Amino acid sequence: MTSYVQMDDAPPVSSSRKLSSASVGPVHNALGTFNGCFIPCCLNILGIILFQRLAWAVGQAGISGVLLIFLLAESMAILTVLSFSAIVTNGSMRGGGSYFMISRSLGPEFGGAIGLLFYLAYAVGVAFYISGFSLAVRSSFFDTAPEYSANVYIGTVGLAAVAVISYIGAGVFAKFNIIFFVVQMAAIISGIFSILISSGHINDIDMTDPCNDNFPYHKDSSLWDICFSNGTRLSHPQYSASTTSSSWSNIKSNWGMNFDYAMDTVACDGSTCDFHSVFAIVFPAATGIMEGANLSGDLKDPSRSIPRGTLFAVGFAVFTYAILTLSMGASYPRDTLRFDMDAYQDATFASGYPLLVGILVSSLSSALGSLFGGARVRSLCWISLSLSLSIERTNKHTHTIIFTHTKLPSNITGTSSTCQRQTLSLASVLYRGICERKSHRR
């Protein structure tokens, strides 16, 4: 008959399992609320959606629609934060982040299984973040290079960089996060000031594909004015994207929802966009709230730092998104927001390079957080799975071997080098698969 025990009440593990009760006690990196929870959460919440899709969302859903999306999304995030904060503050919080919280509620068997899924999700996230990083670097600096090989080489360099930082430890990880946070906020602030004070032409957008793919158009679509001239359909239509001086009149005209076709037919299934499609694209901007909890084993006081740091990060992100949404609505014509997918970057001074740096930092910091957090979670959930599959506490244990054969980590509050290597290996395989899939599509 199977019996379940709470993690706090579990007896010390015998030496035959090569684990000691002392392995759950010490905290090696006494990180505080700011550098151990607030900054990692902010770096992941204020991610790539802010730079690449927020302006488009304002053009489609309007200022009111985007604010409603963030109200709904962040409300879900706050409820989640309050839920795991109740678990974190109810007893002694140890290493393992989401795994530890789940295992305390559902037992080590379910905790290990769900923790393994978290680990896989983080590994997949690393691959996609690195893919976005390589795409931004190649398109900006190596536009003429072969797409597949350039993406592989650039992605390999980026993946190696985050792997080295993650491998060294939480102290270096926290220091780099502070640098990333300062650079990212500087990019966001420079972009806000640029769009508020600039005006005039910023880019010419080729509208050939949207005009051809979406024909015939909805009678209220802006494509009628862009794709036709004097009743004749243009063969190579262009749209002149521009910014205007920020004003209340722009806010009023961009306030309500006014959906139109997207530049890519995949975004809205080849038809006029609606609230649900825009919500689905913008919703990832509210994720990333678990990054601070994943560092629970490295926090000086996790029961205090995780709730406060995560809630402050969510509030700071909501404030930043609201300021950006209002600034974009006050400074752009609606069609520019809809059809210039790089409107935020095009209007930023210095040819948009500050925002490009912000995009690169956002991708790398998110990849770093996923690689570091994934290894943290796996370090504990592997032990949970191994111990839960032991037979009657004898010297003969049955262990689940996943991906590669590995010995158990010597300290479950830290991240073993084996966990780091396996997370990195899985992320590398996934990233290479993404590159090959893109190459085959073309």
Side-chain angles (χ1 to χ4, degrees):
M1 181 175 180
T2 304
S3 61
Y4 297 92
V5 296
Q6 294 292 329
M7 294 299 293
D8 287 342
D9 300 330
V13 182
S14 64
S15 58
S16 62
R17 293 178 183 174
K18 300 181 180 181
L19 296 171
S20 66
S21 59
S23 63
V24 299
V27 177
H28 297 282
N29 299 282
L31 301 179
T33 301
F34 182 73
N35 62 345
C37 189
F38 176 80
I39 288 182
C41 288
C42 283
L43 284 173
N44 280 268
I45 298 174
L46 301 173
I48 199 70
I49 299 295
L50 180 150
F51 296 101
Q52 297 282 35
R53 290 296 177 266
L54 183 59
W56 172 83
V58 175
Q60 293 287 353
I63 298 174
S64 61
V66 172
L67 293 178
L68 177 60
I69 289 174
F70 281 119
L71 176 63
L72 296 174
E74 298 296 354
S75 296
M76 298 182 213
I78 290 176
L79 290 176
T80 305
V81 173
L82 294 177
S83 298
F84 70 69
S85 295
I87 300 175
V88 169
T89 55
N90 185 23
S92 176
M93 180 66 185
R94 301 174 184 173
S98 55
Y99 154 77
F100 185 79
M101 289 184 282
I102 296 171
S103 65
R104 288 183 63 184
S105 302
L106 302 178
E109 290 83 0
F110 285 102
I114 298 174
L116 184 60
L117 296 179
F118 268 102
Y119 159 70
L120 293 175
Y122 283 122
V124 173
V126 173
F128 278 100
Y129 291 133
I130 292 297
S131 178
F133 169 78
S134 63
L135 178 61
V137 173
R138 185 192 61 79
S139 61
S140 300
F141 302 105
F142 306 99
D143 193 25
T144 59
E147 181 177 356
Y148 173 74
S149 58
N151 284 339
V152 170
Y153 293 145
I154 296 170
T156 301
V157 172
L159 192 59
V162 299
V164 170
I165 296 173
S166 179
Y167 190 87
I168 294 175
V172 175
F173 169 79
K175 292 178 181 178
F176 270 93
N177 269 350
I178 294 176
I179 297 174
F180 287 155
F181 180 72
V182 171
V183 173
Q184 187 175 22
M185 291 309 303
I188 294 173
I189 293 173
S190 66
I192 292 175
F193 278 105
S194 296
I195 63 178
L196 287 177
I197 64 177
S198 64
S199 62
H201 174 78
I202 57 174
N203 198 7
D204 289 321
I205 310 300
D206 184 9
M207 299 295 294
T208 303
D209 289 339
C211 289
N212 293 336
D213 295 340
N214 295 305
F215 187 81
Y217 323 121
H218 189 271
K219 64 179 181 179
D220 296 327
S221 173
S222 297
L223 292 180
W224 282 108
D225 298 327
I226 297 173
C227 303
F228 283 84
S229 177
N230 297 326
T232 303
R233 187 175 173 184
L234 301 175
S235 58
H236 297 288
Q238 285 190 334
Y239 173 73
S240 179
S242 62
T243 59
T244 61
S245 299
S246 55
S247 62
W248 284 108
S249 60
N250 286 342
I251 292 180
K252 292 179 181 178
S253 62
N254 291 327
W255 180 261
M257 300 183 190
N258 188 5
F259 298 101
D260 207 330
Y261 295 97
M263 287 292 289
D264 191 343
T265 56
V266 177
C268 299
D269 297 327
S271 60
T272 303
C273 296
D274 55 21
F275 183 81
H276 299 89
S277 58
V278 177
F279 181 88
I281 293 174
V282 177
F283 181 78
T287 60
I289 57 176
M290 297 297 296
E291 296 305 319
N294 289 335
L295 295 173
S296 58
D298 301 295
L299 296 172
K300 182 178 181 180
D301 188 0
S303 297
R304 182 177 185 271
S305 296
I306 292 175
R308 294 191 178 190
T310 308
L311 286 173
F312 287 155
V314 171
F316 181 77
V318 171
F319 174 76
T320 304
Y321 281 129
I323 294 297
L324 268 170
T325 300
L326 290 171
S327 300
M328 291 175 177
S331 305
Y332 290 99
R334 190 128 197 174
D335 287 341
T336 295
L337 293 171
R338 288 177 181 145
F339 301 126
D340 186 0
M341 304 306 291
D342 297 320
Y344 189 25
Q345 183 175 348
D346 290 341
T348 305
F349 69 89
S351 301
Y353 280 104
L355 244 62
L356 175 62
V357 173
I359 293 172
L360 299 180
V361 166
S362 176
S363 301
L364 282 179
S365 63
S366 297
L368 178 61
S370 295
L371 180 60
F372 198 83
R376 280 289 195 270
V377 171
R378 187 198 174 283
S379 178
L380 282 186
C381 77
W382 175 263
I383 293 176
S384 178
L385 285 174
S386 300
L387 296 184
S388 65
L389 292 174
S390 298
I391 301 177
E392 295 181 357
R393 300 194 176 212
T394 64
N395 291 329
K396 297 179 180 180
H397 304 295
T398 303
H399 300 291
T400 302
I401 306 301
I402 301 173
F403 303 128
T404 58
H405 175 71
T406 179
K407 62 182 180 180
L408 292 177
S410 59
N411 190 329
I412 67 174
T413 62
T415 304
S416 69
S417 59
T418 302
C419 292
Q420 295 283 10
R421 288 196 299 270
Q422 291 187 350
T423 308
L424 176 63
S425 177
L426 179 57
S428 301
V429 172
L430 291 169
Y431 171 71
R432 191 174 184 86
I434 293 172
C435 293
E436 291 178 352
R437 183 173 180 84
K438 287 183 178 180
S439 178
H440 292 327
R441 279 185 174 181
R442 296 184 178 275

